Amino acid sequence: MTMSTSSPSCATVTLKELVEASDHNRHSLQQALTAMMTASMQDLPTQISINQVASVANIPFHQFQLDSRALAASNVFVLLKSHTPNCQKSRDYLYQAANNAAFILSEIDPVALLTTANMPTDAPLALTTDTLQTSVQQQMIALPCPILYVPDIRDFLGDLIQARLQYQQPTTLPTVVAVTGTNGKTTISQLVAQLTQLTGMSSAVMGTAGNGRLGSLVQASHTTGDALAVQQFLYQMGQEGAELLALEASSHGLDQQRLQGMPVSVAIYTNLSRDHLDYHADMTEYAAAKAKLFDRVHFPDLTHAIINIDDEYAQVMLDTAHASDLIVWTYSLDATKMATFVATDIKPSLQGVEITLRSNFSDTDISDTDISGDKGGNITIVSPLLGRFNVANLLAAIAATVAIGSDVDSDFNSDIERIAAAVPKLQGAIGRMQRVPSAEGCFIVDYAHTPDALSQVLASLKTHCKGQLWAVFGCGGDRDAGKRPLMAQAGLAGADQVILTADNPRTEDPNAILQDMQAGMSAEQYQRTHIEPARQTAIEYAVSQASADDIIVIAGKGHETYQEINHVRYDFDDSIVLQNALKQAGRA
């Protein structure tokens, strides 16, 4: 993620000054600071001077920092809990930061942290002796800077960071559209950015495929960055004049409140299928994390919720959105459903799809000041995007674009016509149903890395396939192992021929991952399966074996330009490897 070279925070500021300069209705920093002081005075050892604690509000600092390694002098270090707690590491971070920080805000109880870190690994976590407690208190007093224990720091950290960014150089922030769901986040966010830009707004995106203005994306390391990175990027886009930011809201990011303080106006839900169960306990917890995006308690700027009612978990999102009194619009590919946006008469081809868009609005769908004029009707739309599931993605993007542009003076029919006229100019996200040119055969690179996503990709392409449909894919290492046989079965159910290969094995043996994927396979399925651990060799094999009428899908990595093996990321881009294989085979 790139940042502006001119820092708006070159001068120092205090927490008290931030509170006084901030919009209290927006940031609630007064309440946050009061809570910080109250919690700190209650939880820090009594030997630490109350005056020292209170004076934190008046200690000058430059910026907030979440990484102790990047901490500069006079920054504020925010020590957050890890999903996989390691007391010794957290203690090291604290001591490392204390030498440079103006002060430290800790989500972790520093007394318990220092106590635990000094104890044997098999000892209980509670304070055990007066001697140990006294030792910890002495360590606290000896630290070069004060520490405030703020257990609810994530509730206002984003607001606090943005207030700091705005202090010297106030900037108008973009309107934010956030997309959550297992599949479709990248495509929808990019379609929203393209449609709004094509219809008159300056737009940017943030997510898996990169961050930045359209046409100049910088590769991101996470779908949703940490709170500091997210707020810095939002501010930078405001400085560059972006009027809209379309971003992906991952379940990790929502659960960890990395998007706190983002001015999300429109929230979109796509679907939920098995993924990230190495992080979430079960699908119910996974859905609950996604539902946070539709809760005004977390995102007070919300006005619209756009929800795919074809998904089995849609009701969870609908209930949360209605409880927050949002304007709720739905979308569907089922012509029998009375969704707000419905695609009927879907006519797919390898050049794209033609659909009839039917819109249905009731009095409860539109507020008195949203959209004037006739509401509803049919319009024909021609899209260059491949795949039936991309029709659903398009509906969500159209709905969001209407929501962003809706006001008392807008006419719904004119808005839809203007948006429909822009649809043929859309470009799919890199690595999402991306067709790689070939003299014969049809070769597709796609990011599908869940059983549901792979099934949808294969089902969409099967109807166009005159020959055989091939699927080349694997599963990532150090992730939900229960997904592996489900991926194989999804591929075998949808494709005629399957090639199992490595994805990002990370620290696992690729052969062990492939063995997991083969669990439960029948003799007939084995006959249609070729196993090749080396991904490049697997792609070359598919190119050599496929006939002129076949369709070949290289799935799982999509836009990624690397393959991660034993903590090392090697250059590997499916589309480039595929292009080279086609050239070598004389099929480019």
Side-chain angles (χ1 to χ4, degrees):
M1 183 183 301
T2 58
M3 290 303 302
S4 174
T5 55
S6 60
S7 172
S9 51
C10 52
T12 59
V13 67
T14 67
L15 287 176
K16 182 179 179 182
E17 288 170 334
L18 284 186
V19 171
E20 293 172 346
S22 299
D23 177 352
H24 291 184
N25 292 329
R26 170 74 194 132
H27 296 289
S28 301
L29 292 184
Q30 184 67 59
Q31 295 91 325
L33 183 57
T34 300
M36 287 166 58
M37 304 306 294
T38 302
S40 298
M41 288 187 283
Q42 289 176 345
D43 292 302
L44 287 179
T46 55
Q47 286 89 336
I48 295 181
S49 167
I50 293 298
N51 290 332
Q52 182 187 21
V53 174
S55 68
V56 166
N58 295 301
I59 294 179
F61 67 93
H62 285 100
Q63 301 177 25
F64 293 98
Q65 183 56 256
L66 308 185
D67 186 342
S68 61
R69 297 167 298 182
L71 192 71
S74 297
N75 282 356
V76 174
F77 177 59
V78 183
L79 178 61
L80 298 176
K81 296 177 181 177
S82 169
H83 177 61
T84 54
N86 184 314
C87 291
Q88 188 61 50
K89 281 188 176 181
S90 295
R91 176 179 178 271
D92 292 344
Y93 297 153
L94 185 150
Y95 274 118
Q96 181 180 1
N99 291 320
N100 288 321
F103 55 92
I104 296 172
L105 304 179
S106 178
E107 184 185 23
I108 308 170
D109 181 350
V111 175
L113 173 63
L114 294 177
T115 302
T116 304
N118 280 282
M119 292 167 65
T121 55
D122 59 348
L125 297 182
L127 295 174
T128 56
T129 67
D130 292 339
T131 301
L132 184 58
Q133 184 171 358
T134 300
S135 173
V136 170
Q137 291 172 350
Q138 290 173 345
Q139 292 180 60
M140 294 284 291
I141 296 170
L143 288 174
C145 72
I147 303 175
L148 296 188
Y149 172 38
V150 194
D152 59 347
I153 183 68
R154 292 177 194 253
D155 290 348
F156 54 86
L157 180 58
D159 283 332
L160 201 60
I161 293 169
Q162 191 57 233
R164 176 66 190 102
L165 292 168
Q166 294 279 347
Y167 183 73
Q168 258 90 34
Q169 189 176 338
T171 296
T172 301
L173 300 178
T175 297
V176 177
V177 174
V179 190
T180 197
T182 305
N183 304 313
K185 295 188 298 294
T186 300
T187 296
I188 293 174
S189 60
Q190 296 214 7
L191 294 183
V192 169
Q194 289 181 52
L195 283 175
T196 51
Q197 186 140 306
L198 287 168
T199 53
M201 295 183 74
S202 176
S203 302
V205 294
M206 182 179 189
T208 309
N211 305 325
R213 306 297 293 278
L214 289 177
S216 56
L217 301 186
V218 176
Q219 185 64 51
S221 59
H222 294 84
T223 300
T224 305
D226 64 37
L228 179 63
V230 166
Q231 292 295 336
Q232 286 177 329
F233 181 74
L234 174 70
Y235 181 80
Q236 179 183 337
M237 292 299 97
Q239 284 189 311
E240 293 183 9
E243 298 170 279
L244 179 127
L245 172 61
L247 62 82
E248 300 177 47
S250 69
S251 60
H252 293 66
L254 289 166
D255 183 61
Q256 297 171 14
Q257 295 179 267
R258 299 182 208 161
L259 292 175
Q260 193 282 323
M262 291 294 280
V264 178
S265 176
V266 178
I268 301 172
Y269 171 72
T270 63
N271 50 62
L272 207 67
S273 61
R274 181 169 181 145
D275 201 13
H276 303 308
L277 293 191
D278 53 320
Y279 178 89
H280 301 288
D282 50 37
M283 291 297 291
T284 299
E285 184 180 291
Y286 186 22
K290 297 291 191 185
K292 289 181 179 180
L293 184 59
F294 303 91
D295 190 341
R296 269 196 175 131
V297 170
H298 299 293
F299 300 99
D301 294 304
L302 275 172
T303 61
H304 290 74
I306 297 169
I307 296 171
N308 174 20
I309 59 169
D310 292 340
D311 184 76
E312 64 176 311
Y313 288 93
Q315 194 61 50
V316 178
M317 314 304 153
L318 289 167
D319 290 344
T320 305
H322 285 304
S324 289
D325 198 27
L326 303 183
I327 297 170
V328 178
W329 292 351
T330 57
Y331 65 98
S332 173
L333 301 186
D334 186 344
T336 66
K337 293 183 179 179
M338 288 300 293
T340 317
F341 296 86
V342 182
T344 64
D345 302 323
I346 301 173
K347 300 175 182 177
S349 71
L350 285 178
Q351 285 67 50
V353 64
E354 178 181 307
I355 66 171
T356 297
L357 172 61
R358 187 184 75 214
S359 53
N360 309 286
F361 286 93
S362 66
D363 292 340
T364 57
D365 290 324
I366 305 174
S367 72
D368 292 338
T369 60
D370 273 336
I371 302 174
S372 61
D374 294 333
K375 301 155 181 85
N378 296 333
I379 188 170
T380 299
I381 295 179
V382 177
S383 168
L385 305 177
L386 296 175
R388 180 180 173 87
F389 58 89
N390 268 330
V391 176
N393 293 337
L394 180 61
L395 293 185
I398 289 173
T401 306
V402 174
I404 288 298
S406 65
D407 57 49
V408 69
D409 297 321
S410 66
D411 178 86
F412 174 77
N413 290 334
S414 296
D415 285 346
I416 287 291
E417 290 173 3
R418 186 162 49 92
I419 294 167
V423 169
K425 302 175 185 177
L426 293 175
Q427 297 178 358
I430 295 174
R432 269 68 175 177
M433 289 293 275
Q434 177 185 350
R435 187 170 183 177
V436 176
S438 58
E440 58 181 16
C442 177
F443 295 86
I444 303 289
V445 171
D446 192 83
Y447 188 54
H449 61 283
T450 66
D452 179 64
L454 184 60
S455 295
Q456 290 193 46
V457 166
L458 296 175
S460 292
L461 293 174
K462 187 66 174 177
T463 57
H464 305 291
C465 193
K466 297 179 181 178
Q468 290 191 314
L469 179 60
W470 294 69
V472 183
F473 61 95
C475 287
D478 303 331
R479 297 294 187 268
D480 177 17
K483 186 175 74 173
R484 294 170 184 174
L486 303 180
M487 279 290 290
Q489 289 301 317
L492 287 161
D496 300 300
Q497 299 292 331
V498 164
I499 302 174
L500 300 182
T501 188
D503 189 282
N504 288 316
R506 299 184 178 90
T507 65
E508 287 195 67
D509 180 355
N511 289 295
I513 297 173
L514 291 171
Q515 193 65 41
D516 288 345
M517 295 182 71
Q518 296 171 59
M521 284 175 53
S522 68
E524 183 275 333
Q525 289 176 328
Y526 269 112
Q527 290 179 352
R528 297 189 287 116
T529 303
H530 179 77
I531 299 171
E532 173 50 66
R535 192 172 181 91
Q536 178 175 332
T537 304
I539 293 173
E540 291 170 347
Y541 177 81
V543 170
S544 69
Q545 295 298 307
S547 70
D549 290 331
D550 291 353
I551 297 177
I552 300 87
V553 181
I554 316 297
K557 290 173 57 59
H559 64 283
E560 292 179 351
T561 58
Y562 63 86
Q563 187 173 37
E564 186 175 342
I565 304 172
N566 291 324
H567 303 295
V568 178
R569 289 189 171 188
Y570 298 92
D571 289 341
F572 198 102
D573 186 321
D574 277 355
S575 63
I576 293 177
V577 172
L578 179 55
Q579 289 172 23
N580 292 336
L582 288 167
K583 289 177 183 177
Q584 292 173 6
R587 304 181 71 169

